[in-house]
mmCIF file of all heavy atoms in Angstrom:
data_model
loop_
_atom_site.group_PDB
_atom_site.id
_atom_site.type_symbol
_atom_site.label_atom_id
_atom_site.label_comp_id
_atom_site.label_asym_id
_atom_site.label_seq_id
_atom_site.Cartn_x
_atom_site.Cartn_y
_atom_site.Cartn_z
ATOM 1 N N LEU A 248 96.169 106.195 96.781
ATOM 2 C CA LEU A 248 96.984 106.834 97.825
ATOM 3 C C LEU A 248 96.857 106.061 99.129
ATOM 4 O O LEU A 248 97.765 106.076 99.956
ATOM 5 C CB LEU A 248 96.563 108.295 98.028
ATOM 6 C CG LEU A 248 97.110 109.297 97.021
ATOM 7 C CD1 LEU A 248 96.602 110.687 97.320
ATOM 8 C CD2 LEU A 248 98.636 109.289 96.986
ATOM 9 N N GLN A 249 95.716 105.399 99.310
ATOM 10 C CA GLN A 249 95.564 104.547 100.487
ATOM 11 C C GLN A 249 95.442 103.094 100.067
ATOM 12 O O GLN A 249 94.958 102.794 98.981
ATOM 13 C CB GLN A 249 94.331 104.985 101.275
ATOM 14 C CG GLN A 249 94.634 106.207 102.116
ATOM 15 C CD GLN A 249 93.449 106.681 102.919
ATOM 16 O OE1 GLN A 249 92.471 105.963 103.089
ATOM 17 N NE2 GLN A 249 93.535 107.894 103.413
ATOM 18 N N PRO A 250 95.904 102.191 100.933
ATOM 19 C CA PRO A 250 95.935 100.783 100.555
ATOM 20 C C PRO A 250 94.540 100.140 100.532
ATOM 21 O O PRO A 250 93.629 100.625 101.199
ATOM 22 C CB PRO A 250 96.767 100.146 101.674
ATOM 23 C CG PRO A 250 96.566 101.035 102.855
ATOM 24 C CD PRO A 250 96.423 102.419 102.288
ATOM 25 N N PRO A 251 94.403 99.057 99.773
ATOM 26 C CA PRO A 251 93.155 98.297 99.849
ATOM 27 C C PRO A 251 93.114 97.553 101.180
ATOM 28 O O PRO A 251 94.164 97.295 101.772
ATOM 29 C CB PRO A 251 93.282 97.313 98.688
ATOM 30 C CG PRO A 251 94.756 97.117 98.517
ATOM 31 C CD PRO A 251 95.392 98.437 98.892
ATOM 32 N N VAL A 253 92.492 94.073 102.800
ATOM 33 C CA VAL A 253 92.483 92.699 102.309
ATOM 34 C C VAL A 253 92.364 91.749 103.480
ATOM 35 O O VAL A 253 92.983 91.977 104.529
ATOM 36 C CB VAL A 253 93.798 92.353 101.567
ATOM 37 C CG1 VAL A 253 93.645 91.037 100.818
ATOM 38 C CG2 VAL A 253 94.204 93.462 100.623
ATOM 39 N N ASN A 263 100.633 85.616 110.930
ATOM 40 C CA ASN A 263 100.310 87.000 110.586
ATOM 41 C C ASN A 263 98.904 87.178 110.027
ATOM 42 O O ASN A 263 98.589 88.200 109.423
ATOM 43 C CB ASN A 263 101.351 87.545 109.598
ATOM 44 C CG ASN A 263 102.760 87.291 110.070
ATOM 45 O OD1 ASN A 263 103.476 86.464 109.502
ATOM 46 N ND2 ASN A 263 103.142 87.936 111.161
ATOM 47 N N GLU A 270 92.094 88.963 109.002
ATOM 48 C CA GLU A 270 92.898 90.168 108.834
ATOM 49 C C GLU A 270 94.375 89.800 108.665
ATOM 50 O O GLU A 270 94.860 88.853 109.282
ATOM 51 C CB GLU A 270 92.736 91.072 110.056
ATOM 52 C CG GLU A 270 93.435 92.410 109.902
ATOM 53 C CD GLU A 270 93.704 93.102 111.240
ATOM 54 O OE1 GLU A 270 93.117 92.668 112.261
ATOM 55 O OE2 GLU A 270 94.501 94.041 111.248
ATOM 56 N N ILE A 271 95.068 90.559 107.827
ATOM 57 C CA ILE A 271 96.459 90.234 107.509
ATOM 58 C C ILE A 271 97.376 91.325 108.054
ATOM 59 O O ILE A 271 97.117 92.509 107.876
ATOM 60 C CB ILE A 271 96.657 90.150 105.979
ATOM 61 C CG1 ILE A 271 95.704 89.103 105.396
ATOM 62 C CG2 ILE A 271 98.098 89.815 105.637
ATOM 63 C CD1 ILE A 271 95.541 89.205 103.896
ATOM 64 N N CYS A 272 98.451 90.912 108.739
ATOM 65 C CA CYS A 272 99.438 91.872 109.218
ATOM 66 C C CYS A 272 100.578 91.926 108.213
ATOM 67 O O CYS A 272 101.421 91.039 108.155
ATOM 68 C CB CYS A 272 99.967 91.455 110.592
ATOM 69 S SG CYS A 272 101.188 92.602 111.225
ATOM 70 N N LEU A 273 100.565 92.961 107.395
ATOM 71 C CA LEU A 273 101.575 93.083 106.347
ATOM 72 C C LEU A 273 101.839 94.570 106.156
ATOM 73 O O LEU A 273 100.908 95.351 105.950
ATOM 74 C CB LEU A 273 101.040 92.438 105.052
ATOM 75 C CG LEU A 273 101.971 92.359 103.861
ATOM 76 C CD1 LEU A 273 103.225 91.572 104.184
ATOM 77 C CD2 LEU A 273 101.257 91.710 102.678
ATOM 78 N N ASP A 274 103.123 94.959 106.239
ATOM 79 C CA ASP A 274 103.447 96.390 106.235
ATOM 80 C C ASP A 274 102.905 97.143 105.019
ATOM 81 O O ASP A 274 102.443 98.269 105.140
ATOM 82 C CB ASP A 274 104.961 96.620 106.384
ATOM 83 C CG ASP A 274 105.762 95.942 105.290
ATOM 84 O OD1 ASP A 274 105.170 95.182 104.490
ATOM 85 O OD2 ASP A 274 106.980 96.164 105.219
ATOM 86 N N ILE A 275 102.938 96.484 103.859
ATOM 87 C CA ILE A 275 102.502 97.227 102.664
ATOM 88 C C ILE A 275 100.995 97.503 102.659
ATOM 89 O O ILE A 275 100.510 98.332 101.904
ATOM 90 C CB ILE A 275 102.884 96.503 101.354
ATOM 91 C CG1 ILE A 275 102.221 95.128 101.292
ATOM 92 C CG2 ILE A 275 104.383 96.399 101.217
ATOM 93 C CD1 ILE A 275 101.968 94.683 99.876
ATOM 94 N N LEU A 276 100.263 96.801 103.512
ATOM 95 C CA LEU A 276 98.826 97.088 103.626
ATOM 96 C C LEU A 276 98.575 98.170 104.677
ATOM 97 O O LEU A 276 97.442 98.569 104.913
ATOM 98 C CB LEU A 276 98.052 95.824 103.987
ATOM 99 C CG LEU A 276 98.074 94.729 102.919
ATOM 100 C CD1 LEU A 276 97.383 93.470 103.416
ATOM 101 C CD2 LEU A 276 97.417 95.223 101.635
ATOM 102 N N LYS A 277 99.660 98.605 105.315
ATOM 103 C CA LYS A 277 99.531 99.626 106.358
ATOM 104 C C LYS A 277 100.389 100.829 105.980
ATOM 105 O O LYS A 277 100.151 101.446 104.964
ATOM 106 C CB LYS A 277 99.963 99.026 107.710
ATOM 107 C CG LYS A 277 99.247 97.706 108.058
ATOM 108 C CD LYS A 277 97.985 97.934 108.833
ATOM 109 C CE LYS A 277 96.918 96.855 108.672
ATOM 110 N NZ LYS A 277 97.249 95.475 108.849
ATOM 111 N N ASN A 278 101.431 101.097 106.773
ATOM 112 C CA ASN A 278 102.190 102.336 106.559
ATOM 113 C C ASN A 278 103.203 102.270 105.421
ATOM 114 O O ASN A 278 103.702 103.292 104.982
ATOM 115 C CB ASN A 278 102.866 102.783 107.857
ATOM 116 C CG ASN A 278 103.648 101.662 108.479
ATOM 117 O OD1 ASN A 278 103.684 100.553 107.930
ATOM 118 N ND2 ASN A 278 104.286 101.921 109.603
ATOM 119 N N ALA A 279 103.535 101.066 104.948
ATOM 120 C CA ALA A 279 104.518 100.986 103.862
ATOM 121 C C ALA A 279 103.840 100.927 102.491
ATOM 122 O O ALA A 279 104.480 100.657 101.484
ATOM 123 C CB ALA A 279 105.426 99.767 104.050
ATOM 124 N N TRP A 280 102.541 101.176 102.470
ATOM 125 C CA TRP A 280 101.817 101.186 101.200
ATOM 126 C C TRP A 280 102.289 102.329 100.309
ATOM 127 O O TRP A 280 102.642 103.404 100.802
ATOM 128 C CB TRP A 280 100.321 101.346 101.456
ATOM 129 C CG TRP A 280 99.567 101.643 100.199
ATOM 130 C CD1 TRP A 280 99.156 102.874 99.754
ATOM 131 C CD2 TRP A 280 99.186 100.703 99.197
ATOM 132 N NE1 TRP A 280 98.534 102.744 98.535
ATOM 133 C CE2 TRP A 280 98.545 101.423 98.164
ATOM 134 C CE3 TRP A 280 99.333 99.316 99.055
ATOM 135 C CZ2 TRP A 280 98.038 100.799 97.026
ATOM 136 C CZ3 TRP A 280 98.828 98.699 97.919
ATOM 137 C CH2 TRP A 280 98.191 99.435 96.924
ATOM 138 N N SER A 281 102.328 102.077 99.002
ATOM 139 C CA SER A 281 102.493 103.179 98.055
ATOM 140 C C SER A 281 101.736 102.816 96.784
ATOM 141 O O SER A 281 101.460 101.637 96.536
ATOM 142 C CB SER A 281 103.968 103.434 97.744
ATOM 143 O OG SER A 281 104.369 102.661 96.630
ATOM 144 N N LEU A 306 99.461 87.988 114.632
ATOM 145 C CA LEU A 306 98.038 88.237 114.852
ATOM 146 C C LEU A 306 97.404 86.966 115.397
ATOM 147 O O LEU A 306 96.370 86.982 116.019
ATOM 148 C CB LEU A 306 97.346 88.616 113.534
ATOM 149 C CG LEU A 306 97.293 90.089 113.171
ATOM 150 C CD1 LEU A 306 96.677 90.267 111.800
ATOM 151 C CD2 LEU A 306 96.500 90.863 114.201
ATOM 152 N N ARG B 322 92.556 95.941 116.867
ATOM 153 C CA ARG B 322 93.292 95.484 115.699
ATOM 154 C C ARG B 322 94.095 96.601 115.054
ATOM 155 O O ARG B 322 93.949 97.768 115.408
ATOM 156 C CB ARG B 322 92.310 94.900 114.681
ATOM 157 C CG ARG B 322 91.402 93.843 115.294
ATOM 158 C CD ARG B 322 90.603 93.181 114.229
ATOM 159 N NE ARG B 322 89.979 94.157 113.353
ATOM 160 C CZ ARG B 322 89.444 93.827 112.184
ATOM 161 N NH1 ARG B 322 89.505 92.584 111.759
ATOM 162 N NH2 ARG B 322 88.874 94.740 111.433
ATOM 163 N N ASP B 323 94.925 96.212 114.096
ATOM 164 C CA ASP B 323 95.742 97.188 113.379
ATOM 165 C C ASP B 323 94.880 98.304 112.801
ATOM 166 O O ASP B 323 95.274 99.460 112.771
ATOM 167 C CB ASP B 323 96.505 96.501 112.237
ATOM 168 C CG ASP B 323 97.710 95.753 112.754
ATOM 169 O OD1 ASP B 323 97.832 95.655 113.991
ATOM 170 O OD2 ASP B 323 98.502 95.270 111.940
ATOM 171 N N ASP B 324 93.699 97.917 112.328
ATOM 172 C CA ASP B 324 92.794 98.904 111.746
ATOM 173 C C ASP B 324 92.500 100.017 112.734
ATOM 174 O O ASP B 324 92.438 101.189 112.369
ATOM 175 C CB ASP B 324 91.462 98.248 111.356
ATOM 176 C CG ASP B 324 91.637 97.353 110.153
ATOM 177 O OD1 ASP B 324 92.764 97.318 109.616
ATOM 178 O OD2 ASP B 324 90.665 96.693 109.766
ATOM 179 N N ILE B 326 94.359 100.991 115.175
ATOM 180 C CA ILE B 326 95.541 101.835 115.333
ATOM 181 C C ILE B 326 95.639 102.809 114.165
ATOM 182 O O ILE B 326 95.912 103.989 114.339
ATOM 183 C CB ILE B 326 96.819 100.961 115.429
ATOM 184 C CG1 ILE B 326 96.756 100.135 116.709
ATOM 185 C CG2 ILE B 326 98.070 101.823 115.391
ATOM 186 C CD1 ILE B 326 97.798 99.058 116.818
ATOM 187 N N MET B 327 95.368 102.295 112.964
ATOM 188 C CA MET B 327 95.410 103.175 111.796
ATOM 189 C C MET B 327 94.364 104.266 111.907
ATOM 190 O O MET B 327 94.603 105.420 111.565
ATOM 191 C CB MET B 327 95.194 102.374 110.515
ATOM 192 C CG MET B 327 96.437 101.631 110.070
ATOM 193 S SD MET B 327 96.172 100.808 108.503
ATOM 194 C CE MET B 327 96.510 102.125 107.351
ATOM 195 N N GLN B 330 95.549 106.795 114.298
ATOM 196 C CA GLN B 330 96.577 107.624 113.647
ATOM 197 C C GLN B 330 95.944 108.680 112.763
ATOM 198 O O GLN B 330 96.321 109.850 112.802
ATOM 199 C CB GLN B 330 97.485 106.744 112.786
ATOM 200 C CG GLN B 330 98.776 106.403 113.481
ATOM 201 C CD GLN B 330 99.618 105.457 112.641
ATOM 202 O OE1 GLN B 330 99.241 105.061 111.543
ATOM 203 N NE2 GLN B 330 100.764 105.082 113.169
ATOM 204 N N PRO B 514 106.306 105.442 100.030
ATOM 205 C CA PRO B 514 105.095 105.631 100.850
ATOM 206 C C PRO B 514 104.893 107.089 101.270
ATOM 207 O O PRO B 514 105.846 107.751 101.681
ATOM 208 C CB PRO B 514 105.339 104.739 102.074
ATOM 209 C CG PRO B 514 106.367 103.747 101.632
ATOM 210 C CD PRO B 514 107.247 104.497 100.677
ATOM 211 N N MET B 515 103.648 107.554 101.156
ATOM 212 C CA MET B 515 103.302 108.907 101.607
ATOM 213 C C MET B 515 103.614 109.008 103.094
ATOM 214 O O MET B 515 103.462 108.042 103.837
ATOM 215 C CB MET B 515 101.813 109.172 101.398
ATOM 216 C CG MET B 515 101.400 109.376 99.956
ATOM 217 S SD MET B 515 102.097 110.844 99.188
ATOM 218 C CE MET B 515 101.038 112.112 99.890
#
Side-chain angles (χ1 to χ4, degrees):
Chain A
L248 280 179
Q249 281 180 16
V253 192
N263 310 109
E270 186 200 346
I271 302 164
C272 180
L273 185 59
D274 58 353
I275 61 151
L276 295 175
K277 307 270 153 51
N278 51 0
W280 168 262
S281 90
L306 270 176
Chain B
R322 308 188 311 166
D323 282 8
D324 289 357
I326 295 169
M327 282 184 84
Q330 261 176 0
M515 287 295 282

